[in-house]
Amino acid sequence: MGSRFIRKVRTASGAIAVQIVEKNGRTVIGIEHLGSANTDEDLAVLLASAKERLLPGQDTLDFSVEQKPVAMGDLPNWTAQELPAETRSAGRPRSAPVAADAKVIASPATELWEILEAAYDRLGFNILDDTAFKAMVLARLIEPTSKAQSIRVLQQIDAPHPSLRTLFRSLGACIEKDYRDQLAKGMVAYRSATAGLASLVMYDVTTLHFEAKDEDKLRKVGMSKERRVDPQIQVGLLVDPAGFPLELHMFEGNKAETTTIIPVLQAFQARHGITDLVVVADAGMLSANNLNAIEDAGFKFIVGSRLTKAPYDLQEHFDTKGNRFTNGQVLESTRVMGTGKNARERRIVYQWSAKRFARDNRNINLMERKALAVAEGKSPMKKVRFLKVSGAEKELDEKVIERARMLAGLKGYVTNMLVDSVPATLVISAYHDLWQVEASFRMTKSDLRARPIFHREKDSIDAHLTVVFAALAIGRHLQELSGVPLKRLITDLKAIRSAKVLINGQVLTFAAQV
């Protein structure tokens, strides 16, 4: 004879799945998955539902009193605020003191869903008129998972959800109707109306890997920022100074980073009709030819400078004051970058920081000790900075060490903006906002789990990135409004549950008290 019981299972995401398992002897003959819980409140609701399914009628809530029966038409639609104090507890579904046979049939996270929907509409994404696409985007914010599993995510909070076939049709429409173009226009329109769209934008590139062995025309093994050897793509992201996403493009995994920036800038410029644009990028974009191409395309730039040439740029300072600087001191210089007909004079801004000086010196000392250990044979031979190898001889490169100490504390910035129009302090402060791109990438990779990617076809990958792009915009928007990290915000809102209770054949909804 078969037996049925409730089982709790820890999932890969850290949630607790509640299941009803049916066994015949030692053989499992059926598993009914009721949902996954991330909080004690969610778990309690799922266990109550499981108990009701396992033992129907055993867990009935009986609020009857020895009075005349209450007719169905007399049952009020209670809210949490109307309930007696003893029936309320923050963040939990509420019960009402009504007569009759009652059981909880659903526990919607209404507050969470309404806030996400409002953010989606506020950014203008409802112009797509695609409820399946919206469902995928909002489900990714709640629990990043596969597109098919997003249905389960929405079922767990009792939110509207499409069929699997409708969902995949939406992914096809995403490419056919160029959803990303409409989303990008909505993002820029919103930022222009609320924060004022500045002509200053931040750009960076990251890599997203695939769980695949073989390369194709798009997925290539290349320079990975995560030091992986899997096929990957590169993603170029353009954000405003507050980190709000404006433009996203994907490139082949082995494409040089420096060649990605101009297509993204030109697409952004053409999409929104913006003519005067200043782009900020890190030192990975720094090459004479690349800066010439950015300038020839009509853009201004601020790019992090490598310090290998700094001793020559600042020779006068080193000759008169050595490597003595005051905290926050700013120095200006010019340098010819490129050769032949590609040579152009560039403005270089340097700033010295006491905090950076201490950090740089710690790193220099650490690398010097490593090089010395290799030179003295105490560590195996390997490529380390400050080690000079000549035949079988290994020794410290004292000149390189001396130059590194001379440059400790300095940070350089290259720009094609004139001194008269933009002072050095503005150049530096603009570059310091570049961390916002990195913050958006971190949200994309961690909170929204854009990687690894399991799609194979280019259009499917593109649609996946469009969903992530929309979710990123909503995530940054909600963080900016609330001042609370996205993951914590979603977790807190998900714990606020209302309750749908079946009483004598009538479904009543009891709102949660916030």
Side-chain angles (χ1 to χ4, degrees):
M1 182 175 177
S3 62
R4 300 174 76 222
F5 60 94
I6 299 170
R7 181 170 71 181
K8 295 184 290 183
V9 180
R10 180 75 66 177
T11 68
S13 66
I16 298 177
V18 176
Q19 303 169 339
I20 293 179
V21 180
E22 186 173 358
K23 294 182 71 175
N24 187 359
R26 294 186 177 183
T27 304
V28 175
I29 59 176
I31 297 177
E32 182 182 1
H33 182 77
L34 300 184
S36 299
N38 289 295
T39 66
D40 292 340
E41 289 82 4
D42 292 350
L43 183 60
V45 171
L46 286 174
L47 289 174
S49 175
K51 230 173 159 186
E52 173 60 26
R53 288 178 187 236
L54 192 66
L55 302 169
Q58 296 298 306
D59 214 23
T60 299
L61 302 175
D62 186 5
F63 296 108
S64 59
V65 293
E66 293 184 6
Q67 297 177 0
K68 66 177 181 177
V70 180
M72 283 174 44
D74 297 332
L75 292 174
N77 189 9
W78 294 85
T79 65
Q81 286 72 23
E82 295 170 325
L83 299 182
E86 61 268 31
T87 68
R88 300 198 298 260
S89 61
R92 297 287 300 276
R94 306 306 192 266
S95 307
V98 295
D101 198 27
K103 63 178 180 180
V104 176
I105 59 173
S107 180
T110 308
E111 292 286 336
L112 170 62
W113 185 250
E114 287 180 352
I115 287 172
L116 292 180
E117 274 196 313
Y120 187 93
D121 293 345
R122 212 159 32 238
L123 296 181
F125 295 170
N126 51 8
I127 194 174
L128 300 178
D129 193 25
D130 187 334
T131 56
F133 181 81
K134 178 169 79 170
M136 283 186 284
V137 171
L138 301 189
R140 180 155 290 273
L141 287 158
I142 297 167
E143 181 189 327
T145 183
S146 69
K147 306 300 181 298
Q149 283 294 307
S150 63
I151 296 175
R152 170 188 58 79
V153 173
L154 297 175
Q155 286 174 332
Q156 287 177 355
I157 66 165
D158 198 38
H161 56 84
S163 68
L164 190 59
R165 180 170 296 181
T166 303
L167 186 148
F168 285 118
R169 277 202 304 265
S170 174
L171 288 175
C174 180
I175 301 303
E176 293 168 11
K177 298 180 181 179
D178 198 0
Y179 280 5
R180 197 180 302 169
D181 175 73
Q182 299 178 66
L183 292 169
K185 287 176 179 174
M187 293 175 193
V188 169
Y190 174 79
R191 293 304 280 183
S192 298
T194 58
L197 183 63
S199 61
L200 185 71
V201 293
M202 316 284 154
Y203 180 76
D204 204 355
V205 180
T206 194
T207 53
L208 299 177
H209 68 273
F210 291 76
E211 295 294 335
K213 294 181 180 180
D214 300 324
E215 296 179 299
D216 54 32
K217 292 182 179 179
L218 177 65
R219 302 177 297 171
K220 300 280 188 182
V221 175
M223 183 65 70
S224 171
K225 294 192 174 185
E226 301 162 2
R227 298 182 180 179
R228 301 182 67 96
V229 293
D230 305 289
Q232 64 181 25
I233 60 171
Q234 294 197 72
V235 176
L237 180 65
L238 206 63
V239 306
D240 70 9
F244 189 83
L246 302 172
E247 193 84 21
L248 181 144
H249 288 256
M250 70 174 179
F251 302 94
E252 297 85 353
N254 61 352
K255 191 176 182 70
E257 279 188 18
T258 54
T259 62
T260 64
I261 187 169
I262 293 178
V264 175
L265 291 173
Q266 289 177 332
F268 179 75
Q269 191 177 50
R271 197 188 308 276
H272 308 292
I274 297 171
T275 55
D276 187 20
L277 202 60
V278 180
V279 60
V280 181
D282 68 12
M285 297 294 143
L286 183 65
S287 75
N289 290 340
N290 197 45
L291 296 186
N292 290 349
I294 294 172
E295 186 172 57
D296 291 342
F299 303 110
K300 298 290 192 300
F301 59 78
I302 299 171
V303 179
S305 172
R306 299 187 181 96
L307 293 178
T308 53
K309 302 290 185 181
Y312 310 104
D313 294 344
L314 304 177
Q315 194 60 51
E316 182 181 349
H317 177 89
F318 289 125
D319 288 343
T320 57
K321 298 182 180 180
N323 61 347
R324 293 190 298 276
F325 297 89
T326 58
N327 190 34
Q329 183 175 351
V330 175
L331 298 162
E332 291 260 8
S333 178
T334 57
R335 181 196 313 162
V336 174
M337 298 181 65
T339 58
K341 64 180 182 180
N342 292 324
R344 297 184 192 178
E345 191 172 77
R346 297 296 183 198
R347 176 188 175 194
I348 318 292
V349 176
Y350 293 100
Q351 186 180 48
W352 191 90
S353 161
K355 185 176 180 180
R356 189 183 298 115
F357 176 77
R359 184 180 66 242
D360 289 349
N361 268 319
R362 282 198 303 271
N363 291 335
I364 290 169
N365 292 336
L366 176 62
M367 289 183 284
E368 185 179 5
R369 288 196 297 271
K370 287 183 178 180
L372 183 61
V374 174
E376 293 178 346
K378 296 178 181 178
S379 290
M381 181 63 186
K382 56 185 175 181
K383 186 177 180 180
V384 292
R385 192 181 177 191
F386 303 153
L387 182 67
K388 184 167 66 175
V389 180
S390 179
E393 296 294 323
K394 302 187 291 291
E395 60 181 338
L396 291 179
D397 194 330
E398 298 292 352
K399 287 185 178 180
V400 174
I401 295 173
E402 181 184 358
R403 188 170 68 176
R405 294 198 184 281
M406 184 183 296
L407 300 176
L410 283 172
K411 174 68 178 178
Y413 314 88
V414 181
T415 182
N416 61 344
M417 293 187 290
L418 301 177
V419 178
D420 295 339
S421 60
V422 181
T425 51
L426 287 183
V427 171
I428 295 167
S429 64
Y431 187 87
H432 285 176
D433 285 334
L434 193 59
W435 68 272
Q436 293 282 9
V437 193
E438 298 172 3
S440 288
F441 273 140
R442 281 196 299 274
M443 180 183 285
T444 300
K445 291 181 175 181
S446 57
D447 293 347
L448 304 178
R449 293 186 198 165
R451 59 173 185 180
I453 303 176
F454 296 95
H455 300 283
R456 296 188 301 274
E457 301 297 328
K458 180 180 181 298
D459 284 351
S460 298
I461 298 168
D462 210 19
H464 167 73
L465 289 180
T466 302
V467 171
V468 173
F469 185 45
L472 174 61
I474 295 172
R476 292 294 307 209
H477 171 58
L478 290 176
Q479 276 195 178
E480 188 175 54
L481 287 181
S482 66
V484 177
L486 177 64
K487 189 172 183 179
R488 178 183 157 194
L489 181 66
I490 296 296
T491 301
D492 288 350
L493 289 173
K494 193 176 179 183
I496 303 171
R497 298 292 186 120
S498 54
K500 289 182 179 179
V501 182
L502 182 64
I503 304 175
N504 286 347
Q506 182 179 6
V507 176
L508 303 181
T509 299
F510 304 104
Q513 182 179 5
V514 182

